[in-house]
Amino acid sequence: MSDPVLDVKHLSVDYVSAKGLVHVVDDVSLELRRGEVHGLVGESGCGKSTLARSLLRVLGPPAIVSGGSVMLEGKDLMKMSAHEIDQVRWVRMAIVFQGAIDALNPVLRIQEQLVDALMAHGVRDGVEDRAKKLVDRVSLPRRVLTAFPHELSGGMRQRVVIAMALALGPQVLLMDEPTTALDVVVQAEILDELDRLRKDMGFAVLLVSHDLPLMLERCDRISVMYAGRIIESGPVASFRDGGSSSHPYAKHLLGHPYAQHLLHSFPRLDGPRTIARALEGSPPSLFSPPPGCRFHPRCPMVMPICKVEQPKLTQRGVDHVAACHLAQPAAEESPAALPS
């Protein structure tokens, strides 16, 4: 197992409001390994985007990072000065924000924006030629350099934003819902292009999305987030096994019931027909989350302990952890109970 290029430990992010502090990201730890795609999945409002943006310290007021560390290649980003973090952004780690149309300046041509991004990080020589190579890299025609953002399709704008993020060769790319509002054909093209670039350039990707089937197809590992916390994390194969008909959840607990509901919330194109079952209730308010397991008001398998004691992330086989009182440590199960 390779050392992580990005190692997040016990990170917490709060929002200051008239009602007090809102704990949007609560004691989150995760690792991103070199060259991998790590998916961060969960419902809207669970804290995914806040977590991603806090890693690069691009969150503004009223958000505050209240604890934890973010180690990038051995250096803690949370302890860096404003000048030091500026030397990291886009050089060692970059982000593709949700909604490409909002990430581009509507009154500047694409070439001007690419040149500005390069010059802002100290590149002075041959910036126009580098801008041309950037659009080549993401398989765009060079005519887009003279276009305004509104003259491009959604997929083309997304490629421009990806080109801008990769301009200085970062080792980590954070992608916040990169295919929002794109149709499935363009979505696949963008992700195929990203996969090609990742293999060519060797960077790692933290992919943020609510789309679990997309994660199962595109990621190496997945972390599931609920109400500000990571509740399950592991290789993508273990999530596939957990959602298959050969491993009914009540008999073969791979992890967390919420992750299981996510797996069954999308229709399958293969296999027998199944009845979709909605998850009752709504995500809890982060102003006053429930005690114990935050999922217990909605969990069909809730036990008395779930209402009073917060479950810890428990090892569930090779490189797989889950925070559920039903998910016993792997050592307490027979080897046959674990997915192959």
Side-chain angles (χ1 to χ4, degrees), residues 112-232:
E112 295 176 84
Q113 300 192 50
L114 292 172
V115 168
D116 282 350
L118 291 167
M119 295 186 68
H121 291 86
V123 180
R124 295 289 184 270
D125 298 330
V127 287
E128 292 187 358
D129 287 339
R130 290 189 64 163
K132 294 176 182 177
K133 292 179 181 178
L134 285 173
V135 297
D136 292 342
R137 179 179 290 172
V138 294
S139 303
L140 283 173
R142 290 192 175 181
R143 60 180 173 80
V144 306
L145 290 167
T146 58
F148 290 100
H150 72 270
E151 297 177 303
L152 305 179
S153 68
M156 295 174 80
R157 288 194 296 265
Q158 192 67 54
R159 288 172 188 256
V160 169
V161 175
I162 293 173
M164 192 177 296
L166 297 178
L168 298 171
Q171 291 299 300
V172 174
L173 183 62
L174 312 175
M175 303 199 72
D176 187 5
E177 301 277 8
T179 55
T180 297
L182 301 179
D183 64 64
V184 292
V185 174
V186 176
Q187 179 186 91
E189 292 175 352
I190 294 293
L191 294 174
D192 286 343
E193 190 70 34
L194 178 67
D195 194 51
R196 180 187 66 80
L197 291 167
R198 180 179 62 86
K199 292 175 181 177
D200 288 345
M201 300 174 67
F203 56 85
V205 178
L206 181 65
L207 179 61
V208 178
S209 178
H210 62 275
D211 190 339
L212 187 54
L214 174 70
M215 298 293 198
L216 292 174
E217 180 183 353
R218 298 287 180 171
C219 296
D220 301 303
R221 295 166 66 228
I222 292 176
S223 292
V224 181
M225 199 167 182
Y226 185 81
R229 292 176 177 164
I230 298 291
I231 58 171
E232 186 163 7

Side-chain angles (χ1 to χ4, degrees), residues 8-37:
V8 182
K9 296 293 187 186
H10 307 294
L11 186 67
S12 295
V13 182
D14 301 332
Y15 283 94
V16 181
S17 74
K19 297 181 181 179
L21 292 179
V22 186
H23 305 297
V24 179
V25 175
D26 190 358
D27 195 28
V28 165
S29 299
L30 62 83
E31 294 181 350
L32 183 63
R33 297 164 189 167
R34 295 184 184 277
E36 78 168 359
V37 181

